[in-house]
């Protein structure tokens, strides 16, 4: 017993292993009432270094996340560095504790909700799943598969299949659909060899179950392509019939078919939540592409029926397709039918984002409008009020009316300009709101206030409607957030979490000794909440950092992300993002780039008659303007994006492009006007013609554009 007491007393008397850098905890407690500048003076830091702290905006948060090399250069003495870090950590402790308590309450609420829910199933699982099949025929000239359109016997069809059936049943039914009675406009069935491709044009293992593919991809509908290659030898004498399936499969209306799928993703992985709400990567379970020459494994389906001439064949196939169309008339109401129009039967894979969005934009009904009343201080709130009205429809045209701070209507008749400006300002408000965190590229940040108001959903709906109605993309999403939306692999970074958590993770990242790592983890609730309570060995550091990042950047925001994804389902944008992530990545994540040359090519002047007096004036003015936009490339006063916003309502070229060609008009009818004007609806930039030297022209252009509130009236 005495030995135990002696050992315990020895442990208590043993000096703290980090006493050198925590030098005097009692004294540190007394110094917590000082600000950063006062604390540095108590350490004897020179006034020159203190001035550098001020000039470079180095505060207590910056001290915690600063790289060790930079910190050492700024504060040469190791004791001063250690003391300053401890001072900063203690200063940040109340703010950190407030965040931790909020997270604890949130997680406790979620756990109570899960416990309160009983796992009983009220309904049986559906025995069938809907899949879509299209037909792609190999083109000998282009050496690639091309989709066969509806008018040539192809298109895309929806079929209902048993959830436990194998993929080979889809192949059999696809041949029956596109080769009724063994014939098609392209020839008899026995003149082709067939295989089934997935939506990425990879050949599929025929023994896979349909339900397994739904679970792997996480898609609501699967799309397959019947890939046909012309046989080198026609075996018309062989007497093999098309295999028929015993499964109950019914052909549905073509109106229910969704867009055809991409060809660009070569090795995509799918991200999906499992039963424990963890995010797991699923690799494709599909077999790789086989060379076209390897056709021995493909089933050669033959028919003994004779081949009619081309005219008889066309008439026969068309009559069959017409009959199918008449028997599958949709009973949905007009609104649902309108929302499904973008699921066209002969929809081909888009080559760029503008082509994709244009097909959806054509469904907008210009004769019915959604009225939106907003003031420039609260544009997002005005948008939310509008879209929550019962009569709102995503395919009705927007009519936006702005009012200034005093409530006076600006008087703009919305022919497109106010709508574009509303989307631009609303997205800027969202970007700077507490729903997102990050410096430039933003990640979702959990906020009870916005979550309870379902505002993450409205952000998703805002983005979808902006893309379809000619507005800009968000362009501020971080790669992690876009990966979660597009169901592709993500690895969160320090920039994806709030600053308080960044501080703790940076401390652990900079630690090189095991004892220091253990102290950092044990002294912070950030790690324990994420499930990391102790560091056993130094090699675990990276796993703890990545696991903590995953917890706060993925698991914690799960509910907010769910709202955002539901909002992005508006106009089917979410499904398009997941099908064509490469097309959407730039408009969701990258800052807009604009050059003087591109702006010059976008804004084309309307010239007067060559040789006229007006034309001489226009030549002078356009020369001034071209020099002006070149100067604005490097100007801190007016940017090229501000010039574009002045003329169009948008500070970047929208993904949908401008439906009206932007142009430059010369103000010959207002010779005394010194400042530029614009019409954002007809997209006209109106330049003054009264200037006889460039300096005056530039001065008035800067003043006019810099002081314009909206819609191009300087």
């Amino acid at each position: 017993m005495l030995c135990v007491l002696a050992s315990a007393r020895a442990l208590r008397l043993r000096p703290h292993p980090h006493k050198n850098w925590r030098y005097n905890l009692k004294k540190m407690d007394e110094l917590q009432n000082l600000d950063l500048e006062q604390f540095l003076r108590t350490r004897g830091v020179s006034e020159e270094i203190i001035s550098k702290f001020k000039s470079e905006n180095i505060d207590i948060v910056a001290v915690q996340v600063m790289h060790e090399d930079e910190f050492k250069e700024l504060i040469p003495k190791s004791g001063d560095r250690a003391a300053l870090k401890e001072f900063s950590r203690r200063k940040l402790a109340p703010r950190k504790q407030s965040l931790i308590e909020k997270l604890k309450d949130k997680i406790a609420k979620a756990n109570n909700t899960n416990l309160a829910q009983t796992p009983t199933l009220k309904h049986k699982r559906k025995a069938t799943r809907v899949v879509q099949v299209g037909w792609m025929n190999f083109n000998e000239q282009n050496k690639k598969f091309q989709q066969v359109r509806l008018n040539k016997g192809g298109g895309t069809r929806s079929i209902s299949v048993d959830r436990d059936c194998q993929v080979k049943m889809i192949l059999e039914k696809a041949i029956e659909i596109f080769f009724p009675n063994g014939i098609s406009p392209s020839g008899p069935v026995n003149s082709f060899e067939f295989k089934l491709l997935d939506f990425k044009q990879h050949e599929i293992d025929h023994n896979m179950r349909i339900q397994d593919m739904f679970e792997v991809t996480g898609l609501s509908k699967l799309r397959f392509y019947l890939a046909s290659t012309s046989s080198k030898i026609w075996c018309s004498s062989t007497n093999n019939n098309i295999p028929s399936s015993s499964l109950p499969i019914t052909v549905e209306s073509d109106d229910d078919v969704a867009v055809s799928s991409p060809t660009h993703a070569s090795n995509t992985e799918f991200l999906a939540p499992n039963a424990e709400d963890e995010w797991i990567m699923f690799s494709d379970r599909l077999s790789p592409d086989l060379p076209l020459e390897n056709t021995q494994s493909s089933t050669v389906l033959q028919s003994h029926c004779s081949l009619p001439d081309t005219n008889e064949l066309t008439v026969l196939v068309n009559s069959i397709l017409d009959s199918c169309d008449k028997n599958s008339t949709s009973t949905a109401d007009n609104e649902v039918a309108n929302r499904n129009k973008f699921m066209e039967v002969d929809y081909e894979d888009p080559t760029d984002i503008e082509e994709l969005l244009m097909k959806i934009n054509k469904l907008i009904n210009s004769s019915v409008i959604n009225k939106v009343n907003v003031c420039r201080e609260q544009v997002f709130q005005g948008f939310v009020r509008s879209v929550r009205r019962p009569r709102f429809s995503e395919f009705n045209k927007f009519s936006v009316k702005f009012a200034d701070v005093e409530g006076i209507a600006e008087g703009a008749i919305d022919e497109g300009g106010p709508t574009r400006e509303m989307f631009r300002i609303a997205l800027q408000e969202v970007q700077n709101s507490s729903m997102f965190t990050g410096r430039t590229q933003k990640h979702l940040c959990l906020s009870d206030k916005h979550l309870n108001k379902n505002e993450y959903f409205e952000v998703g709906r805002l983005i979808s409607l902006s893309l379809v109605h000619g507005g800009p993309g968000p362009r501020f999403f971080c790669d992690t957030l876009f990966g979660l939306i597009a169901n592709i692999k993500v690895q969160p970074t320090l920039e994806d979490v709030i600053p308080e958590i960044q501080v703790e993770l940076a401390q652990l990242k900079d630690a090189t000794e095991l004892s220091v790592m253990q102290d950092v983890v044990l002294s912070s609730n950030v790690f324990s909440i994420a499930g990391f309570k102790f560091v056993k060995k130094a090699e675990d550091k990276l796993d703890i950092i990545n696991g903590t990042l995953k917890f706060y950047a993925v698991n914690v925001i799960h509910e907010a992300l769910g709202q955002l994804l539901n909002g992005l389902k508006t106009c089917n944008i979410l499904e398009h993002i997941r099908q064509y992530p490469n097309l959407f990545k730039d408009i969701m994540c990258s800052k807009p780039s604009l050059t003087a040359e591109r702006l010059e090519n976008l804004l084309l002047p309307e010239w007067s008659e060559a040789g006229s007096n007006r034309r001489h004036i226009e030549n002078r003015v356009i020369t001034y303007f071209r020099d002006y936009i070149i100067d604005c490339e490097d100007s801190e006063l007016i940017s090229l994006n501000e010039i574009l916003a002045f003329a169009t309502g948008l500070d970047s070229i929208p993904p949908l492009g401008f439906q009206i060609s932007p142009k430059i008009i010369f103000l010959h009818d207002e010779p005394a006007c010194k400042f530029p004007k614009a019409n954002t609806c007809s997209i006209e930039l109106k330049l003054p013609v009264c200037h006889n030297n460039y300096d005056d022209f530039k001065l008035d252009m800067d003043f006019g554009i810099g002081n314009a509130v909206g819609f191009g009236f300087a």
Side-chain angles (χ1 to χ4, degrees):
M1 186 68 179
L2 292 174
C3 293
V4 173
L5 291 174
S7 299
R9 183 177 301 169
L11 287 174
R12 287 197 300 270
L13 296 176
R14 183 179 301 167
H16 195 281
H18 310 301
K19 187 176 181 181
N20 289 336
W21 61 275
R22 289 199 174 179
Y23 70 105
N24 191 325
L25 297 180
K26 183 176 179 181
K27 184 177 180 181
M28 182 63 72
D29 290 334
E30 297 173 355
L31 296 174
Q32 290 306 302
N33 294 327
L34 304 180
D35 59 22
L36 180 59
E37 182 179 347
Q38 293 170 335
F39 177 79
L40 291 174
R41 287 196 172 94
T42 64
R43 297 292 305 175
V45 176
S46 66
E47 290 298 325
E48 181 182 355
I49 295 177
I50 295 175
S51 300
K52 194 170 183 180
F53 268 75
K54 291 180 180 179
S55 63
E56 297 188 9
N57 292 328
I58 300 175
D59 55 10
I60 55 175
V61 174
V63 168
Q64 290 290 322
V65 299
M66 186 179 296
H67 193 274
E68 187 64 26
D69 292 339
E70 297 179 3
F71 198 29
K72 189 179 295 184
E73 182 180 352
L74 188 65
I75 305 291
K77 296 182 180 180
S78 59
D80 291 340
R81 291 198 303 273
L84 180 55
K85 279 205 170 185
E86 179 64 13
F87 173 79
S88 302
R89 189 185 70 81
R90 288 172 174 252
K91 275 284 190 180
L92 287 171
R95 293 165 57 187
K96 177 187 70 177
Q97 193 62 34
S98 174
L99 169 69
I100 299 304
E101 293 302 327
K102 289 181 180 179
L103 287 174
K104 283 182 177 179
D105 293 343
K106 189 66 183 178
I107 293 172
K109 289 179 182 178
N111 291 337
N112 293 335
T113 303
N114 292 335
L115 291 174
Q117 295 176 348
T118 56
T120 56
L121 296 175
K122 296 183 179 179
H123 304 286
K124 293 183 179 180
R125 279 177 102 179
K126 291 184 178 180
T128 60
R129 300 299 301 260
V130 175
V131 300
Q132 297 160 356
V133 291
W135 178 16
M136 302 185 75
N137 190 36
F138 185 72
N139 188 308
E140 292 288 348
Q141 295 179 348
N142 299 332
K143 300 299 181 184
K144 66 179 182 179
F145 285 101
Q146 290 184 341
Q147 190 170 355
V148 181
R149 291 183 175 272
L150 179 63
N151 57 5
K152 295 183 180 180
T156 308
R157 316 293 176 88
S158 289
I159 58 176
S160 179
V161 299
D162 190 296
R163 63 192 302 274
D164 295 320
C165 79
Q166 294 179 328
V167 170
K168 61 184 177 182
M169 299 300 180
I170 304 295
L171 174 64
E172 297 169 2
K173 282 301 168 181
I175 296 172
E176 291 183 357
I177 291 172
F178 295 113
F179 288 81
N181 297 325
I183 55 176
S184 75
S186 300
V189 70
N190 62 353
S191 65
F192 295 94
E193 294 176 349
F194 300 96
K195 59 183 178 181
L196 197 67
L197 305 181
D198 71 341
F199 66 93
K200 293 181 292 184
Q201 297 189 16
H202 291 174
E203 189 171 1
I204 309 171
D205 180 3
H206 288 184
N207 294 321
M208 280 195 70
R209 293 191 318 131
I210 293 299
Q211 184 59 28
D212 291 339
M213 293 194 67
F214 272 104
E215 292 174 357
V216 167
T217 61
L219 297 173
S220 59
K221 285 188 179 181
L222 290 179
R223 295 174 182 81
F224 302 95
Y225 289 104
L226 175 67
S228 60
T229 306
S230 179
S231 301
K232 296 181 179 179
I233 301 176
W234 285 22
C235 303
S236 57
S237 59
T238 311
N239 204 11
N240 293 334
N241 292 326
I242 301 174
S244 60
S245 170
S246 59
L247 297 173
I249 300 181
T250 57
V251 178
E252 298 179 353
S253 170
D254 286 338
D255 290 338
D256 294 329
V257 184
V259 213
S260 62
S261 303
T263 60
H264 57 272
S266 59
N267 197 19
T268 307
E269 293 180 310
F270 299 96
L271 183 66
N274 68 356
E276 290 78 31
D277 285 334
E278 294 181 350
W279 293 85
I280 300 175
M281 295 307 308
F282 293 95
S283 298
D284 292 341
R285 300 181 187 175
L286 311 178
S287 59
D289 287 329
L290 297 178
L292 293 172
E293 291 79 6
N294 185 12
T295 56
Q296 295 179 357
S297 61
S298 301
T299 305
V300 181
L301 299 172
Q302 301 146 351
S303 175
H304 62 276
C305 60
S306 59
L307 178 65
D309 62 42
T310 305
N311 293 333
E312 292 178 349
L313 188 64
T314 303
V315 172
L316 176 61
V317 173
N318 287 339
S319 65
I320 294 172
L321 295 175
D322 291 340
S323 176
C324 291
D325 289 340
K326 290 178 182 178
N327 293 333
S328 59
T329 303
S330 174
T331 57
D333 57 30
N334 292 335
E335 183 177 359
V336 174
N338 190 40
R339 292 181 182 182
N340 289 334
K341 281 181 181 179
F342 53 83
M343 302 179 181
E344 295 286 348
V345 178
D346 64 347
Y347 193 103
E348 293 184 340
D349 292 336
T351 57
D352 55 38
I353 189 66
E354 182 177 352
E355 179 184 349
L356 172 60
L357 296 176
M358 184 62 70
K359 292 178 182 293
I360 308 175
N361 177 265
K362 289 180 179 178
L363 305 175
I364 295 176
N365 184 359
S366 299
S367 61
V368 184
I369 61 173
N370 298 313
K371 291 185 177 180
V372 187
N373 295 299
V374 293
C375 70
R376 293 184 177 275
E377 302 300 316
Q378 298 177 337
V379 174
F380 179 67
Q381 292 182 18
F383 166 81
V384 171
R385 290 195 302 270
S386 170
V387 297
R388 288 182 176 178
R389 294 191 184 109
R391 290 180 294 176
F392 171 80
S393 172
E394 58 263 41
F395 288 111
N396 290 347
K397 179 184 175 183
F398 277 91
S399 177
V400 179
K401 183 179 289 187
F402 276 85
D404 59 17
V405 180
E406 285 76 25
I408 303 171
E410 292 181 352
I413 299 174
D414 192 353
E415 293 296 337
T419 295
R420 290 190 294 268
E421 182 134 352
M422 175 196 70
F423 284 126
R424 176 175 66 86
I425 299 175
L427 285 171
Q428 288 176 349
E429 286 185 12
V430 166
Q431 177 182 359
N432 298 322
S433 72
S434 56
M435 287 185 280
F436 292 88
T437 184
R439 297 178 182 175
T440 54
Q441 303 307 107
K442 305 279 188 171
H443 190 50
L444 275 183
C445 183
L446 186 63
S447 167
D448 276 338
K449 179 183 73 172
H450 298 298
L451 197 66
N452 295 334
K453 293 181 179 181
N454 205 31
E455 289 186 344
Y456 293 98
F457 170 83
E458 300 300 354
V459 171
R461 180 151 58 167
L462 170 68
I463 293 170
S464 298
L465 292 173
S466 179
L467 294 176
V468 172
H469 287 263
R475 291 188 175 274
F476 60 83
F477 283 5
C478 65
D479 291 342
T480 300
L481 179 55
F482 182 77
L484 294 174
I485 293 171
N487 259 1
I488 56 181
K489 187 176 181 179
V490 297
Q491 178 56 55
T493 66
L494 276 177
E495 297 296 327
D496 298 329
V497 295
I498 59 178
E500 288 85 348
I501 298 176
Q502 288 183 29
V503 169
E504 303 292 344
L505 290 171
Q507 278 188 327
L508 180 59
K509 182 180 178 181
D510 292 339
T512 56
E513 298 180 3
L514 178 60
S515 57
V516 179
M517 298 177 194
Q518 292 172 340
D519 184 72
V520 170
V521 171
L522 289 173
S523 64
S524 172
N525 288 331
V526 167
F527 299 100
S528 61
I529 289 177
F532 301 99
K533 298 182 180 179
F534 190 73
V535 186
K536 294 183 179 179
K537 52 184 184 296
E539 291 76 12
D540 294 340
K541 181 175 77 168
L542 186 59
D543 291 336
I544 293 175
I545 292 174
N546 289 336
T548 305
L549 282 172
K550 176 184 172 183
F551 177 78
Y552 288 104
V554 178
N555 297 355
V556 168
I557 66 162
H558 187 74
E559 193 173 352
L561 179 63
Q563 285 190 10
L564 180 69
L565 294 179
N566 285 331
L568 286 171
K569 290 180 181 178
T570 305
C571 300
N572 215 36
I573 292 299
L574 177 61
E575 186 169 353
H576 291 313
I577 292 175
R578 291 181 171 179
Q579 289 175 2
Y580 310 100
N582 291 348
L583 296 184
F584 282 88
K585 180 70 180 291
D586 182 62
I587 64 172
M588 303 292 277
C589 302
S590 301
K591 289 184 178 180
S593 59
L594 188 63
T595 63
E597 182 179 3
R598 191 173 186 187
L599 185 60
E600 179 183 339
N601 294 332
L602 180 69
L603 295 168
L604 300 178
E606 280 200 352
W607 299 107
S608 299
E609 184 179 352
S612 64
N613 291 334
R614 287 191 170 189
R615 181 60 177 269
H616 289 304
I617 296 174
E618 292 166 0
N619 290 338
R620 182 182 70 243
V621 173
I622 203 65
T623 302
Y624 291 166
F625 178 73
R626 289 169 179 169
D627 284 341
Y628 177 70
I629 60 177
I630 292 174
D631 291 344
C632 287
E633 280 188 310
D634 303 318
S635 172
E636 297 181 359
L637 184 59
I638 299 295
S639 67
L640 295 178
N641 300 94
E642 289 176 300
I643 298 173
L644 185 64
F646 178 82
T648 68
L650 294 180
D651 58 0
S652 62
I653 299 174
L656 190 60
F658 292 110
Q659 304 305 299
I660 303 173
S661 298
K663 56 188 175 182
I664 291 176
I665 302 294
F666 300 95
L667 293 173
H668 291 291
D669 295 334
E670 301 180 50
C673 180
K674 299 193 302 181
F675 304 111
K677 294 184 178 182
N679 186 327
T680 59
C681 295
S682 57
I683 314 185
E684 295 175 350
L685 175 61
K686 302 178 181 181
L687 299 179
V689 297
C690 63
H691 301 93
N692 291 316
N693 63 79
Y694 173 72
D695 291 337
D696 292 341
F697 177 85
K698 182 180 184 302
L699 185 64
D700 289 335
M701 289 290 290
D702 286 343
F703 181 85
I705 295 175
N707 289 278
V709 177
F711 309 121
F713 290 99

